[in-house]
Amino acid sequence: MQKVLFLGIDIGSTTLKAAVTDDRGELVFSAYRRHNANPAGVAAEVLGELLAQTGNCLLHVRMTGSVGMGYAERAGLPFEQEVIAAATIIRRRYPDCHTFVDIGGEDSKMIFFTEGCAPDMRMNGNCAGGTGAFIDQTATLLGVETTELQQMAQRAKNIYPIASRCGVFSKTDIQNLLSRNVHKDDIAASMLQAVSMQVVSALARGMQTRPLAVFAGGPFAYIPQLKKHLQQTMGLSDEQCVIAEHAELIPALGCSVLAAGDTAEPIQLERLIELLSSKQTEIRYQNSLQPLFQDEAAYKSWLSERLTPVAIADSQEPLDPDGDYFLGVDSGSTTTKLVLTDGTGRIVYTDYSYNSGDSLKAFTAAVERMKLRTGDISIRRSCATGYGEQLLRTAFSLDYGIVETMAHFRAARHADPKVSFVLDIGGQDMKAIFADNGSIRRIEINEACSSGCGSFIMTFAHQLGYDISDFAHMAYFASAPYDLGTRCTVFMNSKVKQAMREGASVEDIAAGFAYSVIKNCLFKVLKLQSVDELGGHIVVQGGTMRNHGVVRALEKLTGCQVRFTNIPELMGAYGAALYAIQN
């Protein structure tokens, strides 16, 4: 008689978890993988490994998770709500549990068990505070792998306040701590404390957290130090709290337990793999957006027509020690950019680096790197712009300072003397400049929302497991870009989950982000009434415009041709250098 096993599959926003148990409830196979927006492919890979281990066995299957719902529907498999799945396995394995906390990639759950009453189940809303994504973001800011946070937090000596309700505010707090030279070990521990406080304040909401407390989810499995901070926040001792066995698999294990009670006919493993790999799990959505480019040839033709290159000297070309050179510096909130030119505006050296919260240190290091390349040359005049303009001018006696918008406008005029509209999109800010006859008539900037900025795309690229440049290029030839609309970063999480549930490819999601950035700029920030406001000479710049999908989306949405340079991320510094030349 063919062996029957019980499979639980949990497909969340960032990971796929699988748990297979036998008729005694013993775990015989498990997997925990980031699916990088390809749940069907990763599911087939994991089930292929199961096939190699068990052969073509029979399975009773239950699926769960925010993305798993769509796949369960299309494959005709039973679906279970993840909170119920988690509660099932916790009640079975930890009958004395009163408080259960599960922290996932983009959600957190708390369940209170009371004898004779239904479980009181609570989940976070659309805020990423107190979730694994919040922890991942901190690791990125600290320049370490997420798993390194465990050792760092163990070594910490101090705790500092960090806003945990919103990733935007927490990033500001962390950058401020870095600028004050607070040890990274202390920042790691402070972040775990912030997560713990957010989980308790957002989910307990006055309910007493009593022992036994059981903790589950990937963050607890890979950063056990989080347990220490959460139990202190809950006012419980070490003996009153426990990290669940196989903490990263709890909802999947719950589904396998529930599957053991199914009375329907089991499915063969090979047939299950076929179902989850079927075309029926692919594109199921309507009203997709226009492709950005038809093919590689169309992209290259477009690039040759739209690109206005700025002259850049060969990096090996020796510099004239008696020549005159001009330095432009753009000291932003997160990055420092240097551009050194000769008297004609030809670039002879560039530098782009992250501040890590210390503008002075970043500029000093950039200048030292520049000296290694240029040697002992004469810088005739210098000019600073950006967030740290005044600080750098005072500290280093730079010759000039120029308002950031004026620096960007000056650089844009170099690209197109008749420029009528400049759209500059950086990592966390956006500037739009409207001009007539060489003079600025209106300036618009974003305020509290980052949804029209580069970090908006970068955040989701990293969440989906891709480098930002690879993610950008994937968008170029997407056949059916998914319409993500004009939503803030927090609410976009649910939209991306919906796209994955409906079978959108990573390419279509990436292209959808390119469109979404421009839609947010035009319709949320600028509140554009007519494309006529842009005039006939549009120049785009800022690091986000390295993503040519964003540039093309602007053309698709406005019907206008757009020009850009080969140094979009350096245009502020280049404009400052041009100012130094001309004054």
Side-chain angles (χ1 to χ4, degrees):
M1 183 177 177
Q2 201 168 7
K3 190 173 185 178
V4 179
L5 297 173
F6 309 99
L7 169 63
I9 302 178
D10 175 11
I11 309 180
S13 57
T14 58
T15 57
L16 180 146
K17 286 78 70 177
V20 180
T21 54
D22 59 20
D23 53 7
R24 296 173 301 170
E26 298 293 327
L27 184 67
V28 297
F29 176 88
S30 67
Y32 180 97
R33 307 278 169 82
R34 286 188 178 270
H35 56 62
N36 298 331
N38 182 24
V42 173
E45 176 186 301
V46 167
L47 294 178
E49 294 172 11
L50 176 62
L51 180 66
Q53 177 176 315
T54 65
N56 189 25
C57 61
L58 290 172
L59 293 166
H60 285 290
V61 183
R62 288 276 181 107
M63 295 188 75
T64 190
S66 56
V67 176
M69 179 185 294
Y71 282 87
E73 289 175 353
R74 290 192 294 280
L77 298 170
F79 176 82
E80 190 60 70
Q81 212 285 330
E82 61 188 291
V83 179
I84 294 175
T88 299
I89 190 70
I90 292 301
R91 268 192 154 169
R92 172 172 293 199
R93 295 193 172 183
Y94 302 93
D96 295 331
C97 175
H98 173 268
T99 307
F100 171 64
V101 179
D102 184 1
I103 298 179
E106 291 183 7
D107 57 28
S108 53
K109 299 176 281 290
M110 187 175 282
I111 304 176
F112 296 96
F113 298 99
T114 303
E115 187 68 33
C117 300
D120 183 351
M121 304 178 181
R122 305 174 182 194
M123 292 186 68
N124 68 323
N126 287 314
C127 178
T131 67
F134 185 85
I135 297 172
D136 286 343
Q137 174 183 275
T138 303
T140 299
L141 289 171
L142 296 180
V144 300
E145 294 295 323
T146 302
T147 51
E148 293 180 59
L149 295 172
Q150 168 66 17
Q151 288 71 37
M152 294 171 69
Q154 285 179 317
R155 297 190 297 262
K157 294 180 172 60
N158 301 292
I159 297 293
Y160 296 86
I162 293 177
S164 61
R165 196 176 64 85
C166 175
V168 174
F169 297 133
S170 72
K171 183 180 291 187
T172 301
D173 285 347
I174 291 169
Q175 287 171 338
N176 179 262
L177 292 173
L178 288 169
S179 70
R180 291 161 48 195
N181 293 318
V182 170
H183 201 284
K184 289 184 178 181
D185 291 350
D186 291 342
I187 296 176
S190 299
M191 176 275 301
L192 296 181
Q193 181 64 26
V195 167
S196 301
M197 293 177 66
Q198 174 64 15
V199 168
V200 173
S201 63
L203 300 181
R205 296 193 297 273
M207 186 75 167
Q208 186 179 1
T209 52
R210 295 191 285 108
L212 177 71
V214 179
F215 304 149
F220 287 109
Y222 300 108
I223 312 176
Q225 192 72 6
L226 178 59
K227 171 180 177 284
K228 170 189 170 184
H229 291 273
L230 184 57
Q231 71 187 42
Q232 288 177 349
T233 303
M234 295 168 63
L236 300 177
S237 67
D238 193 53
E239 294 75 21
Q240 293 174 320
C241 303
V242 62
I243 296 178
E245 185 181 13
H246 307 299
E248 74 280 15
L249 301 174
I250 290 301
L253 279 168
C255 281
S256 71
V257 168
L258 291 166
D262 288 348
T263 57
E265 287 295 315
I267 185 172
Q268 286 195 323
L269 177 53
E270 288 183 350
R271 173 57 181 158
L272 178 62
I273 295 173
E274 181 184 326
L275 275 176
L276 291 179
S277 304
S278 171
K279 292 292 182 182
Q280 70 178 348
T281 64
E282 295 185 359
I283 297 173
R284 307 283 290 184
Y285 55 92
Q286 299 176 345
N287 302 321
S288 60
L289 300 168
Q290 291 183 18
L292 297 170
F293 302 101
Q294 291 301 322
D295 51 36
E296 186 78 31
Y299 167 62
K300 289 182 177 179
S301 174
W302 173 86
L303 192 60
S304 67
E305 294 173 359
R306 304 294 194 273
L307 180 65
T308 302
V310 172
I312 302 177
D314 188 290
S315 61
Q316 302 303 313
E317 178 183 327
L319 301 184
D320 181 0
D322 298 321
D324 288 331
Y325 297 95
F326 302 85
L327 178 64
V329 185
D330 182 1
S331 177
S333 59
T334 57
T335 57
T336 294
K337 285 82 69 177
L338 266 63
V339 168
L340 187 69
T341 72
D342 61 19
T344 69
R346 185 182 66 146
I347 295 175
V348 298
Y349 179 82
T350 66
D351 190 279
Y352 184 104
S353 61
Y354 287 92
N355 292 342
S356 296
D358 192 334
S359 300
L360 290 176
K361 184 177 179 181
F363 177 70
T364 302
V367 170
E368 290 300 320
R369 289 190 294 270
M370 182 176 69
K371 286 181 178 179
L372 291 175
R373 160 70 181 99
T374 62
D376 189 18
I377 61 167
S378 171
I379 296 179
R380 183 159 184 177
R381 286 188 295 273
S382 56
C383 179
T385 190
Y387 174 82
E389 172 222 328
Q390 189 64 46
L391 180 64
L392 295 188
R393 282 187 68 194
T394 302
F396 296 95
S397 300
L398 302 183
D399 297 300
Y400 302 109
I402 183 174
V403 177
E404 192 173 0
T405 49
M406 292 302 298
H408 283 280
F409 183 57
R410 188 173 290 264
R413 286 183 64 189
H414 186 82
D416 183 351
K418 296 181 179 179
V419 61
S420 58
F421 177 70
V422 182
L423 181 60
D424 179 88
I425 305 179
Q428 295 181 21
D429 59 10
M430 184 277 287
K431 295 175 286 292
I433 303 170
F434 298 81
D436 279 330
N437 300 319
S439 298
I440 296 176
R441 63 178 173 84
R442 173 185 161 200
I443 297 172
E444 297 283 353
I445 61 173
N446 68 319
E447 294 178 353
C449 182
S450 65
S451 58
C453 302
S455 59
F456 180 66
I457 298 179
M458 183 180 292
T459 297
F460 284 95
H462 291 166
Q463 284 183 10
L464 297 176
Y466 292 92
D467 176 81
I468 183 62
S469 59
D470 293 336
F471 190 70
H473 197 270
M474 293 170 74
Y476 297 174
F477 313 114
S479 59
Y482 192 95
D483 190 356
L484 295 169
T486 56
R487 302 166 70 86
C488 79
T489 305
V490 173
F491 295 118
M492 189 61 77
N493 285 319
S494 59
K495 195 69 174 179
V496 172
K497 291 177 188 176
Q498 179 182 330
M500 289 190 287
R501 281 197 300 269
E502 294 180 3
S505 67
V506 183
E507 291 80 3
D508 292 333
I509 292 172
F513 273 115
Y515 272 107
S516 185
V517 163
I518 295 301
K519 284 184 175 183
N520 276 293
C521 284
L522 297 181
F523 308 128
K524 286 183 68 177
V525 178
L526 299 181
K527 298 180 174 60
L528 201 68
Q529 300 299 313
S530 169
V531 295
D532 293 339
E533 296 180 54
L534 307 181
H537 296 267
I538 301 173
V539 175
V540 296
Q541 51 200 38
T544 300
M545 297 309 177
R546 281 283 180 191
N547 181 341
H548 294 157
V550 174
V551 183
R552 184 58 173 159
L554 177 58
E555 291 192 331
K556 288 281 189 179
L557 291 169
T558 63
C560 301
Q561 289 193 4
V562 174
R563 301 205 70 80
F564 54 94
T565 71
N566 51 331
I567 56 163
E569 73 279 18
L570 299 173
M571 291 292 272
Y574 187 56
L578 293 176
Y579 184 87
I581 293 172
Q582 297 160 7
N583 288 273

